[in-house]
Amino acid sequence: MKYELFINGEWVKDSNQEYFPAINPYTQEVWAEIPQASDAQVAKAIDCARAAFDGVWSKTSGVERARLLNKLADLLEADAARMGVLESTDNGKVIRETSSQMLFAARQYRFFAGSADKLWGKVIPLDQPDILDYATREPLGVSVLITAWNSPMGLLSNKLAPAIAAGNCVVIKPSEHASATTLEFAKFVEKAGFPKGVINIVTGDMRVGKALTSSGRVDRVSFTGSPNVGREIAAQCGRLLIPVTLELGGKSPNIIFEDADLDKAVVGAFAGIFAATGQTCIAGSRLLVQKPVYEKIVKTLIEKSANIVLGDPINQKTEMGTLANEPQFNRVMRCIENGVKEGARLVAGGHRATGPTLGKGLFVQPTIFRDVDNSMELAQEEIFGPVLSVIPFDTEEDAISIGNDTKYGLAAGIWTSDLNRAMRVSKAIRAGSVWVNTYRAVAVQAPFGGFKDSGFGRERSEWALDEFLAPKNIMIDYSNMARDPFAIKT
């Protein structure tokens, strides 16, 4: 399967178009060819987005934007099963999760469709009685949306839905490690009937990202990825005075207190780290367990980890898929080796998983380290794989201190039957999302984003619209205007 770039409502390529392979991480076979956009093609995508904004989209009503977003949702929802298979083929995530993410993405388009014609302004009372002052919320113009490989369609909906609802035109760049479903999504854009140039997609490696963020001709950049790349983008955009939304990494504490429902907490711990093969920014990769229940929790974790079903991501019975690509697989294995060298006790997994149903797949065994010191690299650096660090603690104050002792601040989990404790700890933990007696629960109505090295700005919810809007203030002095509009001047 060979894809092309989607620019100005058309599938385009030039005579010297380069392509790179999309590799199935389960079979290690090339299953698609993805175009490498040139600087000229990136520039064209930006130009077309700008022309569409100035000529058509800025004049398009919120009602019409809502209709198109709802149509996108219809098309994605109707094709969720096929899109889930494509995404699992591209990044190795299990089909049960990729299919559900398609439906969640469709929900996002519907949610923001409901906001497209409700971008209220505000009348502002001033000291001067003869001046009318009001503020409107205006779209920024052209937004660049850069997504990661772990959840291409889910991450895109976080950005595209509010950007379009707010009235922006966009240029999208998916990760070079998982581009196929984003290009497939362009077919929905065509069928929905979006004006040409409103949504453009350019694919390729970091050269494409640099061309987009250094052009100086866009009005907003929204990026999901690693903190290191986020810093480079923020620095580049800062020099150009382009606002940025950054959704970066995490090293989230998942805290189990002795009074928790332990059976439920263990399920939450597993969902927090082994779902999505640990390849999620909100992974509960640091499991903090109060000492009276520490041994029991560790024993249960070890037993349950041995029963996780690894296999073909397309198989509905598979519970954990592959790492998404070879560089990420190698990185996770290095992190495990370094954890052993640091002195953490490896009690489960720690090796490449092999077997008759695993073939050449990039599988890592569900891996658990116990007695991890929070100062270890194992507990401080984001691994982005199925690697759990279990850390004991004594008191509530210890849990808060350890939980906050990280450069990240994206998410956290709290397991307790004490409502007062839940309220105290959730307030004290420095994270953008805190779950109490659940983990990895998502809702389009709830804002998502982090503190510290986890980035800034928010996605989902009504807060996401503000990332793509700017207030405009209008002041009218009517003190000298004719009091009678029908008066004839002589």
Side-chain angles (χ1 to χ4, degrees), residues 139-423:
L140 294 174
V142 176
S143 295
V144 168
L145 314 179
I146 304 176
T147 59
W149 44 258
N150 57 322
S151 299
M153 284 292 95
L155 297 177
L156 178 60
S157 67
N158 285 349
K159 305 174 188 300
L160 180 61
I164 293 298
N168 294 263
C169 293
V170 303
V171 180
I172 300 164
K173 184 214 172 293
S175 167
E176 63 271 31
H177 294 296
S179 302
T181 50
T182 304
L183 291 167
E184 286 284 337
F185 182 81
K187 298 175 183 178
F188 302 148
V189 174
E190 285 184 296
K191 291 180 181 178
F194 276 84
K196 291 185 176 183
V198 173
I199 298 176
N200 307 273
I201 301 172
V202 290
T203 53
D205 58 23
M206 67 178 65
R207 291 172 290 175
V208 176
K210 287 182 178 179
L212 287 168
T213 57
S214 64
S215 72
R217 297 186 296 117
V218 301
D219 305 294
R220 160 72 69 178
V221 172
S222 180
F223 169 76
T224 296
S226 72
N228 288 338
V229 177
R231 287 188 186 91
E232 292 183 17
I233 289 174
Q236 179 62 54
C237 290
R239 286 189 287 270
L240 298 169
L241 296 180
I242 297 171
V244 183
T245 301
L246 298 176
E247 196 275 283
L248 307 176
K251 196 69 181 178
S252 302
N254 203 357
I255 306 169
I256 301 177
F257 288 97
E258 62 179 316
D259 63 351
D261 180 333
L262 298 185
D263 291 337
K264 189 176 180 181
V266 167
V267 172
F270 262 67
I273 187 61
F274 296 129
T277 321
Q279 296 173 120
T280 171
C281 54
I282 56 175
S285 52
R286 291 186 299 150
L287 186 66
L288 281 56
V289 183
Q290 201 161 19
K291 286 183 178 178
V293 295
Y294 183 81
E295 293 298 335
K296 180 178 181 179
I297 292 293
V298 170
K299 182 175 183 291
T300 305
L301 290 170
I302 295 170
E303 291 171 352
K304 287 181 69 69
S305 69
N307 296 320
I308 294 176
V309 178
L310 280 65
D312 185 349
I314 307 300
N315 190 324
Q316 289 285 348
K317 294 182 180 180
T318 299
E319 296 175 337
M320 199 175 92
T322 68
L323 274 293
N325 52 73
E326 190 169 3
Q328 182 60 19
F329 173 84
N330 292 335
R331 182 179 184 280
V332 170
M333 295 309 298
R334 285 196 301 271
C335 289
I336 293 172
E337 292 173 6
N338 290 339
V340 172
K341 292 177 182 177
E342 284 186 294
R345 290 178 59 189
L346 178 65
V347 292
H351 304 283
R352 181 170 187 158
T354 59
T357 64
L358 305 186
K360 299 178 181 178
L362 301 174
F363 290 97
V364 173
Q365 295 173 336
T367 298
I368 301 172
F369 286 91
R370 63 167 292 168
D371 304 340
V372 176
D373 188 287
N374 196 60
S375 64
M376 292 179 176
E377 184 179 298
L378 190 67
Q380 290 294 319
E381 296 300 323
E382 185 178 40
I383 297 173
F384 224 64
V387 181
L388 180 64
S389 297
V390 189
I391 302 170
F393 71 89
D394 287 304
T395 66
E396 180 180 310
E397 291 73 21
D398 291 335
I400 293 168
S401 177
I402 295 169
N404 286 334
D405 184 16
T406 173
K407 61 186 176 183
Y408 295 105
L410 188 59
I414 301 166
W415 301 87
T416 180
S417 60
D418 185 334
L419 180 59
N420 290 328
R421 168 177 280 162
M423 297 299 292

